[in-house]
Amino acid sequence: MSRYTAVTDTDRAAMLDAIGVGSLEEIFEAQIPAGVRLQGGLDLPDGLPEQDVYAHLLELSKKNTSAEDEITFLGAGMYDHYIPAAIDMLLGRSEFLTPYTPYQPEVSQGGLQVMFEYQTAICELTGLDVSNASVYEGPSAVAAAGYLAKLASPKRPRYLVSGALHPDSRQTLETLSVGYGTEVVEIPLKDGVTDVDALRELLADGGDQVSAVIFQQPNFLGAIEDVQAISDLAHEQGALSICQADPIALGVLEAPGNQGVDVCVGEGQALGNRLDFGGPSFGFFAATNAHIRRMPGRIAGETTDADGRRGFVLTLQTREQHIRREKATSNICTSQALNALAGVVYLSWLGRDGLVELGELLIQRTHYARETLTAIEGVTALHGQPVVREFAISLPDGVDVGEVIALAQDRGVNPGFDLGRVRDDWKGGLLVALTEQRSRSDIDRLAEVLDESIRAYQGGERSPLGRSGSTQEVAA
Amino acid sequence: MSAVDQTVVAYERPPADASSATPMQRERAVTIFEKGQEGRRAFEAPALDVPEVEGLIPASARRAEPARLPNVSEPELVRHYVRLSRRNFDLDSGFYPLGSCTMKHNPRLHERVTALSGHARLHPLQDPKRAQGALELMYNLERSLGEVAGLPHVCLQPSAGSHGELAGLLVTRAYHEARGDHRTKVLAPDTAHGTNPATVTIAGYEVVPVKTSPDGGVDVEDLRAKADSQVACLMLTNPNTLGVFDPNIEEIAKIVHGVEATLYNDGANLNAVMGISRPGDMGFDIVHYNLHKSFTQPHGGGGPGSGPIAVSDRIAPYLPVPVIQKLADGTFDLTSTPTDGPGSKTIGKLRGFQGNYGCFVRSYAYICSLGGPGLQDASETAVLNANYLLARLQELVGDRLPLAFGERCMHEFVLSGTVMKREVGIRILDLAKRLLDHGFHPPTVYFPLLVDEALLIEPTETETKETLDAFAEAVADIIREAEEDPSIAQSAPYTTPVRRLDEATAAKRPVLRQPL
């Protein structure tokens, strides 16, 4: 008996008696072939008391450098926003934390109404008609949107994908589309944004083979894309316009649904969810009404009960696996309900004005940071496009970005993401992200440390921990 | 038998009267979007501390209208969601025997350790050398899960069981393609969870159902007839969704491997066999785990989950990247370009970053708490609890709700409501809804599809005998009540925040957002 079970010896005797066997072993023997029984138990250590497990997990946590331990400008898909205390408290409530999918709506009205509210908030942010109750995370949402386009145009075996789509989204799409045989063709970039002329050419030749044009707003390099122009070109050839968006930036940028986008998806972590070394978070997924029956995942809808009271249920389930099986619109059978709850609480906490104020603050501080960093000798902007909360710079020629990041981290500042880790032609680039938790004095400190680290690198200094990034990648 | 009788709780039948609404029923559902007033707020932005510059964003890119989010104060916000939470049934409040979902207790320690800033505020792109604790944790979790499954190579990344299935089929595809073998079909028993066939389609295969034999296992002759050189994989849940451990598993593995297909284990029911029997030893090449089932990641109202996979040596090169490596100096690395071993011929990335780490922390803490003997005890107790509840129900209502297959079960079992429907006049749905009035979450209903009027019950190991007795009594009482007046169950529930909901209208005229 462990501390999580409660069958005493007395219980066990009575239970075995009721079952009509002399021992539990009889039950196993009767059912499991002897040849596949494990002899001698699992080769794992014995269990530990709660306080020892806590101590072990605390020790492991201390071996990590978290956003609490350094001034961090690392973003590239997940962001260190402040999470209001109310979210911790609400997500910790048993009634939200411990139920399963709302299969019994009469006793799941809380969770179902949360989904309905969440869907409303996502529709508002994206300017689209319908949102599902969320999918796994951002890049998975992009891949799911790709599959929707495949269902909408089964005879078009190609996606055109912006070179500034998040590399994880691009790679997830590639991994998943292998199965159903759609190819991914890249649209090149021009000065940090999707090259619209190149897109026009790609569509002019074989546009009828393209099911979707997929891009990101703001893009991976932080730059604002011309969403309307990209959407218009896609539509001219009968392809869908699929946009991965940063939900925080949508507080100030035009809603993609108002710029011709058919499906808007994205990573929801920035909305009240922890960094958690990458998950769990949620992916949001919204589309125009035309695609309602091709949507993946759970969707909550409003209805009434037997006495006419307002209530909520999971709906449009004929899209789903338990009914459609192999003909389902997706194999995703869950939503990230708890993470989506954090999302809608966060958006309600910010409120209509707060989301705009947050966006405006980020625009100003990001501009200040870009100006301040590009004033460092040898540092230039990687592109000159307008940005909201993230921007790319180039370090001086001959400077190894991974080494400079390591030196800066030794000085207590994480300056951002080494762009050379994802693309060879971005070598020398650094992606810097802001949240409201990074003040002007933090930015000034970043500039000081980055300058110092570049000079230190040029003077031959190396971090005792070694270059930032995978050891393997250096070897490669 | 006296020990059994003494522990039966005093039983009071719940009300069955719809004429007077409960306080919660009288509370009309109002969304957060219908609350608040212009000018109220919970958020205060930090002061602008840099020189303000106009025109940084071109007007054409700017939002014409702000998103119409609520304007609420913090007290309004907190009260709204606390009140909503009270309209949910949850595992901490009561028994939740949802079959194939493994609703076991979620230890609160896990929430505490996951919230430590070194875990919670660790950025996914942090330099591996400065995330050693996280990588060590993931490495240890991989080893532990691999030991439970009896398969050496674990990839933690899949975000849910269905995502693990997809990963499993994509590595299967890569494995066959690498041998120049282009296969077209995947076999799955008719008892399979609906995500199995859905995943097969997305992975680009055609699903071929395999029949179930009268003993509840795979029909071996049907399998033999369908297993040919076009079959890439057999997806099997063992024990299956009938709670039956397949008696012919060794023969099945032989047939599948005989045509060089892979054998995939949907690990949804792993909670029955931890430390008792290992999928790897049964002949499976690939298994997915549901960390939110056997390893007690809280279900969160439907997510997040986590669905790692374990594979055999021959499949390992195709695993998704990044992979965790333990280096010669004892430190850990995270790489997307391994030169040999797991991931060296990778299918690519399956999702962003490296998986649902928050779930890994919880499941790792659970494994540390229980250890090898504790995990085995958990499975043994889960099987004991299931067989005991089965025995109690058969004793009380066996003539109305017989066991669908076999005599005993593993960690869950399926009753058939066909006799009850015919003789008593209530359906399984009615029984489920009346259970809500008794304060129990109903078991899974109408699944597996193979059983008419199916009721799939999984009590888990964390329930007491007293709870199991009380549940059995409630089921018996509902049937007794229905023998007298079936309309009571047919119109149930009566005491829940809302009563039966009109799902047909919801689907026919969808209202999927608050109109503003």
Side-chain angles (χ1 to χ4, degrees), chain A residues 114 118 133-134 271 273 281-282 335-345:
Chain A
V114 167
Y118 162 85
S134 74
L271 303 176
N273 280 271
S281 60
F282 69 90
S335 65
Q336 299 288 104
L338 197 68
N339 305 99
L341 166 66
V344 68
V345 174

Side-chain angles (χ1 to χ4, degrees), chain A residues 68-357:
Chain A
E68 208 145 291
D69 306 317
E70 60 185 3
I71 302 172
T72 184
F73 293 85
L74 192 53
M78 285 205 172
Y79 302 91
D80 180 41
H81 286 284
Y82 179 74
I83 298 172
I87 288 189
D88 291 351
M89 172 279 215
L90 290 167
L91 265 64
R93 281 190 71 95
S94 297
E95 300 92 330
F96 287 133
L97 184 69
T98 69
Y100 197 48
T101 299
Y103 288 130
Q104 298 291 339
E106 297 87 350
V107 290
S108 310
Q109 285 301 295
L112 286 161
Q113 186 176 325
V114 167
M115 286 181 185
F116 184 79
E117 294 180 354
Y118 162 85
Q119 290 166 196
T120 307
I122 295 300
C123 288
E124 280 297 312
L125 271 186
T126 58
L128 285 162
D129 305 317
V130 53
S131 161
N132 71 12
S134 74
V135 296
Y136 306 138
E137 46 98 46
S140 298
V142 173
Y147 195 66
L148 181 148
K150 187 256 172 193
L151 292 176
S153 313
K155 296 203 171 116
R156 293 172 169 237
R158 189 178 306 148
Y159 302 128
L160 295 183
V161 173
S162 165
L165 180 71
H166 195 295
D168 282 358
S169 299
R170 157 85 176 260
Q171 289 171 34
T172 302
L173 182 70
E174 284 172 342
T175 304
L176 269 57
S177 59
V178 163
Y180 54 86
T182 300
E183 65 167 343
V184 173
V185 173
E186 181 173 310
I187 315 163
L189 303 181
K190 192 175 171 187
D191 192 23
V193 292
T194 308
D195 185 342
V196 175
D197 293 325
L199 172 60
R200 189 177 292 114
E201 280 172 33
L202 283 166
L203 284 165
D205 182 19
D208 59 349
Q209 297 296 296
V210 176
S211 66
V213 176
I214 306 176
F215 61 101
Q216 186 174 327
Q217 173 75 334
N219 70 26
F220 186 66
L221 299 174
I224 296 174
E225 295 278 2
D226 189 342
V227 178
Q228 188 73 57
I230 295 171
S231 299
D232 288 348
L233 284 172
H235 291 162
E236 277 172 26
Q237 295 295 330
L240 296 184
S241 168
I242 296 176
C243 175
Q244 172 175 5
D246 173 357
I248 295 290
L250 291 186
V252 285
L253 296 182
E254 183 55 280
N258 295 337
Q259 296 178 305
V261 167
D262 300 285
V263 184
C264 181
V265 295
E267 173 55 60
Q269 178 273 333
L271 303 176
N273 280 271
R274 297 167 178 166
L275 289 166
D276 270 343
F277 201 43
S281 60
F282 69 90
F284 62 87
F285 194 114
T288 57
N289 265 330
H291 300 293
I292 191 166
R293 298 201 184 252
R294 290 187 201 106
M295 298 277 287
R298 305 290 194 195
I299 300 177
E302 184 177 327
T303 188
T304 51
D305 82 351
D307 298 333
R309 289 179 201 96
R310 185 187 196 186
F312 304 91
V313 291
L314 290 178
T315 193
L316 302 177
Q317 297 197 64
T318 50
R319 302 165 297 115
E320 294 188 48
Q321 314 82 26
H322 60 284
I323 296 174
R324 291 295 296 279
R325 297 181 75 86
E326 71 272 14
K327 294 192 184 66
T329 57
S330 155
N331 75 329
I332 298 174
C333 81
T334 47
S335 65
Q336 299 288 104
L338 197 68
N339 305 99
L341 166 66
V344 68
V345 174
Y346 184 75
L347 286 169
S348 302
W349 178 76
L350 284 178
R352 181 179 172 146
D353 300 333
L355 180 65
V356 178
E357 289 164 17

